[in-house]
Amino acid sequence: MEETEFIVDLELLSSMQERTKKQPKLLTSSAAQRRCSIFRVPQNIKKLHPRSFIPEIVSIGPYYHGEQHLQMIQEHKWRFLGIILHRLKDFNIDLSNFFKEISIQEEEIRACYSENIDRYNTRELIQMMILDGCFIIELLCVVEKIINPNPNDPIFNLPWILTSLTRDLLRLENQIPFFVLQSLYKLSIPESMDVPPLQELILELCKYSVARSIDEIQLRRKYRNIEAEHILDFYRSTFIPLSEKQDTDASSKYRDPFELIQPVEKLREAGIKVEERKGSESFLDIKFREDGVLEIPRLVTDDMMSSFILNCIALEQSYKHRTKHFTSYVVFMGCLINTVVDAGCLRDEKIIENFFGTDEQVVKFFNEAGRDVTFDIEETYLSEVFKDVDNYYRNVWHVRWAEFKYNYFGSPWIFLSAFVAFFLLLLTILQSFFSVYSYFSPPN
């Protein structure tokens, strides 16, 4: 058989050789470094809830810069910058001071993004950081009443705008580095003004989209100096107690959590009570008591809270230098909520305050949020709760006692019937006893 002669395409080989020298752009080589903290949301998470990750009204940073549907607020960014510059005139601070301050941070800024942003040259990137950062700073100052706004400013007079803005500031793909915000904050607020730390302003703003039940003064004092990579990272950290032991990433030892904890309905059948944990500073603070009571803080389920939780999960799945508290929480709740009956039980106990509309939507959210995520039951902050609940559930005496209580004390009518039956049985036994006694010990 005659062999076909292979002709080497030198041009193709040269092209391939050159291609090997190019660095990836969609996921840069620096994406695994600690300073890189602003990521594109993983597709396995984004495909389930795409609306939770795409900004609705404002673009912050390079990923959504220039999008047509975000141009309304883009115009107001320039207006806000003008207000700040006008306020700083008497302090000899102008736009050049902002450019000098941010330009020395350019390399560090670029390293914060997992996607290559070289499509923006130095001037464009610095302008973007100043424009976006000053917009956020002015927004924070007005909300905290450090600055008195124009009473006719539409941003603060149309209620839906502020809520939408806050939600957009808590999206992973819509961030700028925290150190940029801190630099701009120092420049834009005159030294003569007594102002709170930037972190306190962010806490005040974020309450417009994510409700908190904890005392706000306590919250501010506790987290006023916490370090963070960006706004989402900071606000996420305020839900994690500072004194709590942190879980670590150990995805190589994956175990299926559904083998370790049962849904609410089955836990209740085994005698485990599920109750609201009151007085907790975070819905993450789940505890299991030795007497078989699983305490879970209340969670308000609505579009804003679900968006925040999903973006925190996306951050935890992308940034290895953060714990997986939110991931662990949704996996745990996904185990508990398997059916609408489970969701209804948690709603009745006031653990879930459902603004989704139906119990079916609560079930869908938790089961989808915990799907295809990296999670290790041995390393999660809830590992002891998982194990203790499972051990209690598998204890045969707990199960039998729970079945007895359910069968005989499940309702007043069942209890009354059981009591009457027991009373009749007791009378029968007494009658039999006295009959036998009178036979063997007849009266004189």
Side-chain angles (χ1 to χ4, degrees):
M1 184 176 180
E2 185 178 348
E3 293 185 3
T4 303
E5 183 179 356
F6 179 74
I7 300 175
V8 178
D9 188 334
L10 297 179
E11 184 179 350
L12 174 61
L13 294 182
S14 176
S15 174
M16 292 176 65
Q17 189 70 30
E18 287 300 315
R19 186 69 180 270
T20 63
K21 299 176 183 178
K22 293 183 178 180
Q23 294 298 317
K25 292 185 176 182
L26 299 180
L27 186 65
T28 63
S29 56
S30 62
Q33 297 180 13
R34 188 179 187 88
R35 59 183 180 175
C36 180
S37 61
I38 304 173
F39 301 85
R40 287 290 190 180
V41 176
Q43 284 302 311
N44 62 314
I45 299 176
K46 196 171 190 176
K47 67 182 180 182
L48 297 174
H49 298 272
R51 288 186 56 197
S52 297
F53 305 104
I54 300 173
E56 297 175 347
I57 190 172
V58 64
S59 69
I60 301 295
Y63 288 163
Y64 290 94
H65 182 74
E67 294 282 340
Q68 187 60 40
H69 73 287
L70 305 173
Q71 291 308 301
M72 181 183 74
I73 298 299
Q74 192 69 21
E75 296 174 353
H76 286 274
K77 289 180 185 178
W78 289 101
R79 183 171 64 84
F80 275 32
L81 178 60
I83 294 172
I84 291 176
L85 294 176
H86 179 75
R87 189 166 62 236
L88 296 174
K89 271 185 177 181
D90 295 337
F91 299 91
N92 295 320
I93 297 176
D94 57 23
L95 200 52
S96 64
N97 298 98
F98 287 86
F99 265 86
K100 289 176 184 177
E101 180 69 24
I102 302 303
S103 63
I104 62 177
Q105 301 173 341
E106 180 188 357
E107 182 179 348
E108 192 176 357
I109 291 170
R110 291 185 183 275
C112 291
Y113 293 91
S114 65
E115 185 174 296
N116 185 294
I117 55 174
D118 286 347
R119 62 184 179 276
Y120 300 105
N121 61 35
T122 297
R123 294 173 60 186
E124 292 171 335
L125 182 64
I126 295 174
Q127 176 180 292
M128 182 195 305
M129 292 294 121
I130 293 174
L131 202 60
D132 292 355
C134 285
F135 175 77
I136 294 172
I137 297 300
E138 188 69 7
L139 197 66
L140 293 171
C141 289
V142 171
V143 169
E144 187 62 8
K145 297 181 174 60
I146 296 174
I147 303 298
N148 294 320
N150 183 330
N152 296 317
D153 194 320
I155 298 295
F156 304 104
N157 280 277
L158 300 179
W160 70 271
I161 291 184
L162 192 57
T163 301
S164 297
L165 286 173
T166 309
R167 191 188 309 186
D168 281 351
L169 294 179
L170 291 172
R171 302 189 197 274
L172 177 58
E173 298 179 338
N174 214 37
Q175 302 293 319
I176 59 174
F178 207 78
F179 60 81
V180 171
L181 285 176
Q182 289 175 318
S183 297
L184 295 172
Y185 184 52
K186 291 177 182 178
L187 278 173
S188 60
I189 302 296
E191 293 183 1
S192 59
M193 294 181 64
D194 183 21
V195 296
L198 180 62
Q199 289 89 335
E200 288 193 18
L201 303 188
I202 294 172
L203 284 171
E204 181 67 20
L205 179 64
C206 288
K207 74 179 185 181
Y208 282 90
S209 63
V210 180
R212 303 290 290 269
S213 57
I214 185 175
D215 179 76
E216 290 189 18
I217 296 177
Q218 176 187 347
L219 192 67
R220 287 181 173 211
R221 289 174 179 172
K222 194 169 186 178
Y223 296 100
R224 65 184 302 168
N225 295 316
I226 197 169
E227 296 295 326
E229 302 299 326
H230 41 72
I231 290 180
L232 173 66
D233 183 40
F234 166 73
Y235 201 55
R236 170 193 168 275
S237 68
T238 66
F239 285 82
I240 302 171
L242 297 176
S243 60
E244 185 175 292
K245 182 179 178 181
Q246 304 293 290
D247 58 356
T248 57
D249 182 19
S251 56
S252 60
K253 298 190 300 178
Y254 176 82
R255 287 189 177 92
D256 185 0
F258 285 93
E259 295 180 359
L260 294 175
I261 192 170
Q262 299 296 320
V264 171
E265 191 175 14
K266 288 190 175 182
L267 294 182
R268 294 177 72 179
E269 290 175 359
I272 295 176
K273 294 182 179 179
V274 183
E275 296 179 356
E276 178 191 359
R277 180 176 177 82
K278 298 181 179 179
S280 179
E281 67 178 35
S282 169
F283 59 79
L284 301 176
D285 190 18
I286 299 172
K287 302 295 180 184
F288 183 69
R289 302 201 318 239
E290 292 182 357
D291 59 351
V293 178
L294 180 60
E295 295 183 323
I296 306 174
R298 180 180 299 190
L299 174 73
V300 176
T301 56
D302 57 19
D303 290 339
M304 289 180 283
M305 177 59 81
S306 64
S307 173
F308 172 64
I309 290 175
L310 289 168
N311 277 275
C312 288
I313 293 172
L315 175 61
E316 293 176 354
Q317 293 293 300
S318 303
Y319 193 43
K320 69 175 183 178
H321 303 288
R322 288 293 177 267
T323 61
K324 291 186 171 62
H325 278 72
F326 280 76
T327 304
S328 302
Y329 175 80
V330 298
V331 171
F332 183 87
M333 295 298 286
C335 293
L336 290 180
I337 305 173
N338 195 36
T339 66
V340 292
V341 175
D342 300 321
C345 289
L346 296 185
R347 175 172 42 76
D348 292 342
E349 293 293 335
K350 298 183 179 180
I351 294 170
I352 297 293
E353 191 170 349
N354 183 12
F355 286 95
F356 280 145
T358 64
D359 291 335
E360 287 86 350
Q361 288 174 290
V362 174
V363 176
K364 181 180 179 182
F365 171 73
F366 280 107
N367 281 272
E368 288 184 347
R371 186 184 302 172
D372 298 331
V373 295
T374 301
F375 171 76
D376 188 343
I377 189 65
E378 295 296 327
E379 300 296 332
T380 172
Y381 83 103
L382 289 172
S383 60
E384 292 302 315
V385 177
F386 270 107
K387 292 174 183 177
D388 291 345
V389 171
D390 183 61
N391 290 336
Y392 194 99
Y393 175 80
R394 296 182 187 280
N395 187 312
V396 64
W397 293 110
H398 290 151
V399 176
R400 289 180 178 177
W401 172 241
E403 289 176 348
F404 174 79
K405 289 194 296 181
Y406 179 80
N407 290 332
Y408 296 102
F409 300 95
S411 74
W413 295 111
I414 295 176
F415 171 75
L416 184 61
S417 300
F419 177 79
V420 170
F422 175 77
F423 184 73
L424 292 175
L425 178 63
L426 182 62
L427 289 178
T428 302
I429 293 174
L430 289 174
Q431 184 181 22
S432 300
F433 170 78
F434 284 113
S435 297
V436 173
Y437 181 80
S438 62
Y439 176 79
F440 288 100
S441 300
N444 294 326

